Amino acid sequence: MKQNRLFQRTRLRLAVWYALVMALILTLCGIGIYKAVSHAHWMTLDQEIETVAGTLHDSIELKLQQPGKLEPVIYGLLPKICIVGKTCISEPINSHRHTLSAIHQEHYYVRFYDNSGRLFAIAGAYPEGISSKFNPELWQTLKDSQGKIYHQISRTLHTQDNLDWGYIQVGRSIEDFSNYLDAVKLTLAFGSPMVIGLVGFASWWLAGLAMQPIYKSYRQIQQFTADAAHELRTPLAATQATVESALLMSQLDELEARELLQTIQRQNQRLTNLVADLLLLSRLDRQPVTISYDICCLNDIISDLIEEFAALAIAANITLKSEFMVTKPVNIIGNQDQIYRLISNLIINAIQYTLSGGKVIVSLDRSEQYAVIQVQDTGIGIPQLELSRIFDRFYRVNSDRSRSTGGSGLGLAIAQAIVQAHHGSIDVQSQLDQGSIFTIKLPVDSLRLENRKFKRW
């Protein structure tokens, strides 16, 4: 439970940090998007005003004859034109004004100033309360009495004789532009928390997904430690009990002393084998490619092992034999000691789990790319649900029987580690009460074999 809480807290911290980082990134992206949209619209707005002002300037300038005076024909180009100090003139809109249609919209206004900077005339949707003081700057942003914002451009005017007439200012209300930016801000303001919430949920899920292999590895280490401690404790407890019983005896004759020493020796040997197996697994896990390789003749290794375990098979009333499917020797590049250990582990397993009168057959074949070794027995078999776990360390299908035969549950794990170190594969097929078949495939590199043979020769 403590470990689960630790992983949950770690997962929560990962999720929170991920969500915070993503929130910061999304916030910066939102600000950047807003700035980009705002800049793009300002550029579009400036181009629009500049185009309208340029068209109006060119149309009016061609008709000006005297400085400080608007020709009557100009009145027809502009809606709601008013000469300062005089009455306003309202001309009906006609078809020849299509080039200046923007001026007839409600958000544009036009102002004329003479050479002295005096407001001369106004036209269009002129806002109330806007400052009439002349400012010669090209671009200006103004506010009216209601706080509405306007953007305007100033251009100089000349007569037909190229005399200075004064200035024209074309302005536009940017209320629609401000409303659009406000909508963008609201979208970002309300959308960002929703996105961040989704990111938080996704980060919690991703953190759990990322920690699954870590948690699984932690559980495996935890289980491995518990199993190793249990396996080490059994022979240690037996040795301790033997020594304590010996100490309780007042006298020991030679026969009793030898029996006690033999018991201690067996338990010590069991400890030694277990530690050796653990060290071998550790080396294979840590440095699977640094072992020394040489040419290994699988025919010779299998023949030697059949001879070595013949006595064990006879004692168990089991037939042990080899079958070579190829007439030529099958050689691979590998570590001979490890290949020897690999096949011997499978043979020992097969003998231990085969009942009296059964058979164990070790066969050797070769395909184009692989040497194929099969260890087949007529033993008790393995349940289908257990097949996926038999290569786990310290895992035994029948724990009681394994311990009675001295097994530690590392034999198949070592076999798999050796196969993987040699870039091969190991598979198992089994049926209850019918036996098992372990199939090993080890790669045969013909070019490397030829090079090794040439060098050794």
Side-chain angles (χ1 to χ4, degrees):
M1 292 298 294
K2 290 183 178 180
Q3 288 81 6
N4 288 337
R5 287 197 295 269
L6 174 63
F7 276 92
Q8 289 296 329
R9 287 198 300 269
T10 306
R11 180 184 181 183
L12 179 61
R13 280 197 289 267
L14 284 174
V16 169
W17 276 109
Y18 182 81
L20 288 176
V21 170
M22 289 303 298
L24 178 61
I25 294 174
L26 290 173
T27 301
L28 293 176
C29 288
I31 294 173
I33 291 172
Y34 177 79
K35 293 289 185 183
V37 170
S38 176
H39 177 73
H41 276 72
W42 271 109
M43 294 293 294
T44 303
L45 181 66
D46 287 350
Q47 290 176 1
E48 179 188 320
I49 295 174
E50 193 170 10
T51 300
V52 171
T55 303
L56 187 60
H57 172 273
D58 295 342
S59 300
I60 292 175
E61 198 172 50
L62 292 173
K63 299 175 176 59
L64 295 176
Q65 297 180 3
Q66 298 180 16
K69 181 180 178 181
L70 289 175
E71 305 304 323
V73 69
I74 297 175
Y75 298 156
L77 297 176
L78 299 172
K80 302 178 183 178
I81 186 168
C82 296
I83 307 300
V84 176
K86 298 182 180 180
T87 59
C88 296
I89 302 172
S90 179
E91 292 288 335
I93 300 174
N94 52 56
S95 60
H96 77 273
R97 293 175 177 170
H98 65 279
T99 56
L100 303 176
S101 59
I103 297 299
H104 299 278
Q105 298 177 12
E106 293 298 324
H107 43 252
Y108 267 97
Y109 68 87
V110 181
R111 301 197 292 188
F112 293 94
Y113 288 86
D114 60 18
N115 286 321
S116 63
R118 181 180 63 85
L119 183 63
F120 182 80
I122 58 175
Y126 192 73
E128 297 181 1
I130 194 171
S131 174
S132 60
K133 184 178 180 182
F134 176 68
N135 189 336
E137 291 184 7
L138 179 63
W139 289 103
Q140 301 169 56
T141 301
L142 308 173
K143 284 186 178 181
D144 64 9
S145 58
Q146 298 178 358
K148 294 182 179 180
I149 303 176
Y150 298 82
H151 198 50
Q152 73 175 23
I153 187 172
S154 299
R155 302 286 295 271
T156 58
L157 286 172
H158 301 85
T159 65
Q160 295 175 353
D161 300 330
N162 204 26
L163 298 176
D164 291 340
W165 187 94
Y167 303 89
I168 181 174
Q169 291 183 338
V170 179
R172 182 192 192 282
S173 169
I174 60 173
E175 185 177 6
D176 56 338
F177 171 72
S178 299
N179 291 338
Y180 175 79
L181 289 184
D182 289 341
V184 172
K185 281 192 284 189
L186 285 174
T187 301
L188 292 174
F190 287 102
S192 295
M194 296 177 61
V195 173
I196 292 173
L198 291 175
V199 167
F201 176 77
S203 63
W204 173 260
W205 178 74
L206 287 174
L209 196 65
M211 290 193 66
Q212 278 183 5
I214 300 174
Y215 185 71
K216 183 178 179 181
S217 177
Y218 173 80
R219 295 287 296 177
Q220 288 176 342
I221 293 173
Q222 196 177 40
Q223 185 65 41
F224 176 82
T225 304
D227 290 340
H230 180 76
E231 293 298 332
L232 290 169
R233 183 177 60 185
T234 302
L236 286 173
T239 302
Q240 180 69 19
T242 302
V243 172
E244 289 178 354
S245 64
L247 293 175
L248 291 175
M249 296 180 183
S250 58
Q251 291 182 345
L252 287 175
D253 56 31
E254 183 178 350
L255 180 59
E256 290 175 331
R258 290 184 65 85
E259 289 178 352
L260 291 171
L261 290 174
Q262 287 173 354
T263 301
I264 294 173
Q265 183 186 28
R266 284 196 303 271
Q267 300 303 329
N268 183 67
Q269 186 62 43
R270 185 175 177 183
L271 282 173
T272 302
N273 293 338
L274 179 59
V275 171
D277 289 346
L278 291 174
L279 289 174
L280 175 59
L281 282 171
S282 177
R283 286 196 299 270
L284 290 171
D285 287 341
R286 187 174 61 253
Q287 296 177 333
V289 295
T290 58
I291 56 178
S292 59
Y293 291 109
D294 207 342
I295 297 177
C296 301
C297 180
L298 296 179
N299 305 65
D300 293 342
I301 293 175
I302 292 174
S303 297
D304 290 343
L305 286 170
I306 294 297
E307 184 178 347
E308 179 179 341
F309 291 113
L312 180 62
I314 292 172
N317 191 26
I318 292 171
T319 302
L320 175 63
K321 66 177 183 177
S322 61
E323 292 182 355
F324 298 107
M325 307 301 179
V326 288
T327 56
K328 294 182 179 180
V330 179
N331 296 325
I332 65 167
I333 298 296
N335 183 279
Q336 185 160 333
D337 291 337
Q338 291 188 7
I339 298 298
Y340 189 92
R341 179 68 181 276
L342 163 65
I343 301 174
S344 67
N345 278 6
L346 296 181
I347 294 175
I348 292 172
N349 246 27
I351 293 174
Q352 288 179 350
Y353 289 99
T354 300
L355 301 177
S356 177
K359 295 180 181 179
V360 175
I361 301 173
V362 183
S363 62
L364 175 63
D365 198 356
R366 174 175 174 171
S367 64
E368 185 177 346
Q369 297 179 341
Y370 295 97
V372 182
I373 305 167
Q374 282 192 337
V375 180
Q376 181 177 0
D377 64 63
T378 58
I380 61 175
I382 305 169
Q384 293 297 315
L385 296 177
E386 308 284 349
L387 286 176
S388 61
R389 299 190 59 190
I390 61 172
F391 294 104
D392 293 349
R393 298 172 188 186
F394 295 110
Y395 185 79
R396 287 167 295 212
V397 177
N398 190 329
S399 300
D400 295 336
R401 176 162 181 171
S402 297
R403 287 198 172 90
S404 66
T405 55
S408 63
L410 293 176
L412 291 180
I414 291 173
Q416 185 184 53
I418 293 173
V419 169
Q420 291 174 349
H422 286 77
H423 308 289
S425 64
I426 181 169
D427 298 310
V428 59
Q429 295 176 338
S430 184
Q431 291 185 358
L432 281 176
D433 301 323
Q434 294 186 23
S436 304
I437 302 175
F438 285 84
T439 303
I440 303 168
K441 291 183 179 180
L442 298 175
V444 178
D445 192 334
S446 301
L447 181 60
R448 288 179 65 193
L449 281 170
E450 291 299 325
N451 291 338
R452 286 295 182 99
K453 287 178 181 178
F454 177 77
K455 290 178 181 179
R456 292 181 71 181
W457 180 81

